[in-house]
Amino acid sequence: MIQRQRCLPDYVDFRPLGRCNLACLFCYGPRHDLPTMGEDDAFRVVEILRAERVKGVVISGGEPTLLPYLARLAAALGAPYAPGEPGPKIVLSTNGLAPIPTMEKILPHLSWIALPLESADPGEHAAMRIGHARHRERVIALLGQARRSHPSVRIKLGTVVTRLNARGADRVLDLIEDDPFLPDIWKVYEMSETNYGADNRDVLALGPGEFEEVVRRCSKAAADRGVELRVYRNSTRSGNYFFVDPDGGAVVIDDGEERRLGSFFELYERGEGRLRACVEGDGNAANFTSTYPTWSPTGSQDAVAAAT
């Protein structure tokens, strides 16, 4: 029997909604007014990703915890492919505002949770994360809850660096007093100039030298606390990402800009291998596995192999 050629890259970002309960000026996610993907279509995406035996999926948005069926979606997506064959690694990228009881239903189905902290300075953080006065406190509380109740779920802390938080970004780890609650990975991001980030680039964007100075300070802060630092630069963005958007569109990044390929469902049904070809395989794998690595049972880091 001839096996169908794989159509998708190994690692996929699934953005089933644009809607969010924050209004961050730097957001590179889908526009908030995009209609949310219907539940049936969302589970269709799950079926396709599993049929393709993808290795990892980041569920984001918008704010994915606003989906009432998110726990079921994550459970279906991450289920074992077969006895003894683990399913894909599931990452939830969330703003951290969901109530703890809601998160307790979702966390058991995750490999990683990605949470944001933007600055040790409360004013800077508030200027970055607009829409909830106690956002920082909610994120730190969720981080602690995840550590205590679900120690197998790894934590990535993300900090997007802009003109609004350049002074305090390197001190975000100071907000976490107890070492056991520190993240497994801290990732510092150069602001991506797409969607809302593009709208506000003149106000927010740093020059390359300014960004690298913040990175230097963050590197020292991470080393002082024994946290592994990762750095995202816009120059490495093209070819690494494959998105499924709320309207069912397939989206990739070319020359730093989003490029829409058409309907994810239609392109997949036609068996078009160009969906896989539109992403640079090694870059797609390295981007995911360096941010969300695997650790051996002894605790040493062992990045997932990028082999197809």
Side-chain angles (χ1 to χ4, degrees):
M1 183 175 67
I2 299 175
Q3 188 174 10
R4 172 178 169 153
Q5 179 184 6
R6 291 188 63 201
C7 294
L8 300 181
D10 289 333
Y11 300 95
V12 172
D13 286 73
F14 183 23
R15 310 191 290 195
L17 78 171
R19 184 164 56 98
C20 188
N21 44 8
L22 291 178
C24 307
L25 298 177
F26 59 88
C27 181
Y28 70 88
R31 298 286 179 175
H32 298 332
D33 56 359
L34 274 178
T36 298
M37 181 179 284
E39 184 174 345
D40 289 345
D41 279 344
F43 278 91
R44 250 180 99 194
V45 173
V46 170
E47 290 176 6
I48 291 171
L49 297 184
R50 289 185 59 80
E52 286 284 303
R53 289 293 203 271
V54 298
K55 297 179 180 180
V57 181
V58 179
I59 306 173
S60 63
E63 175 46 46
T65 61
L66 297 177
L67 295 172
Y69 56 84
L70 178 60
R72 289 189 292 110
L73 187 82
L77 191 51
Y81 282 129
E85 182 186 359
K89 286 182 169 52
I90 306 302
V91 179
L92 177 66
S93 180
T94 171
N95 63 26
L97 287 176
I100 295 296
T102 298
M103 291 305 306
E104 282 292 340
K105 298 175 182 177
I106 300 166
L107 283 163
H109 308 298
L110 304 179
S111 305
W112 284 79
I113 184 170
L115 295 168
L117 282 176
E118 310 299 354
S119 178
D121 180 274
E124 286 188 357
H125 185 90
M128 289 284 287
R129 291 285 170 176
I130 299 170
H132 196 288
R134 293 181 56 80
H135 177 261
R136 280 198 325 176
E137 290 81 355
R138 292 281 288 271
V139 169
I140 293 168
L142 177 54
L143 190 157
Q145 178 70 16
R147 277 285 189 248
R148 287 188 295 269
S149 300
H150 302 276
S152 65
V153 177
R154 302 294 185 177
I155 297 172
K156 185 211 80 175
L157 194 65
T159 302
V160 180
V161 180
T162 74
R163 291 195 179 281
L164 299 180
N165 66 327
R167 289 182 302 172
D170 62 300
R171 293 182 285 112
V172 297
L173 296 182
D174 294 347
L175 298 170
I176 303 169
E177 296 180 358
D178 298 322
D179 284 357
F181 292 166
L182 287 169
D184 298 285
I185 294 289
W186 180 25
K187 191 161 186 177
V188 176
Y189 292 82
E190 186 177 12
M191 188 192 77
S192 295
E193 296 181 5
T194 50
N195 294 330
Y196 296 100
D199 295 346
N200 298 296
R201 64 164 63 92
D202 292 342
V203 176
L204 300 180
L206 292 170
E210 294 171 302
F211 175 69
E212 293 302 331
E213 170 57 24
V214 178
V215 169
R216 185 192 63 77
R217 301 198 319 261
C218 290
S219 296
K220 182 181 184 305
D224 288 346
R225 296 295 297 274
V227 174
E228 295 201 41
L229 185 75
R230 300 289 185 270
V231 181
Y232 163 88
R233 296 175 175 88
N234 287 327
S235 60
T236 65
R237 193 178 187 210
S238 294
N240 289 351
Y241 296 90
F242 182 94
F243 299 100
V244 181
D245 263 12
D247 59 359
V251 180
V252 295
I253 304 295
D254 278 343
D255 294 326
E257 300 290 336
E258 290 191 355
R259 178 162 69 92
R260 301 185 65 81
L261 304 177
S263 166
F264 171 72
F265 300 114
E266 292 176 7
L267 291 169
Y268 182 76
E269 288 302 319
R270 292 206 297 263
E272 297 206 12
R274 74 184 182 96
L275 289 178
R276 187 174 178 86
C278 282
V279 172
E280 202 279 305
D282 289 346
N284 172 250
N287 179 63
F288 185 96
T289 60
S290 67
T291 306
Y292 308 109
T294 297
W295 276 269
S296 72
T298 61
S300 62
Q301 183 179 327
D302 176 23
V304 179
T308 58

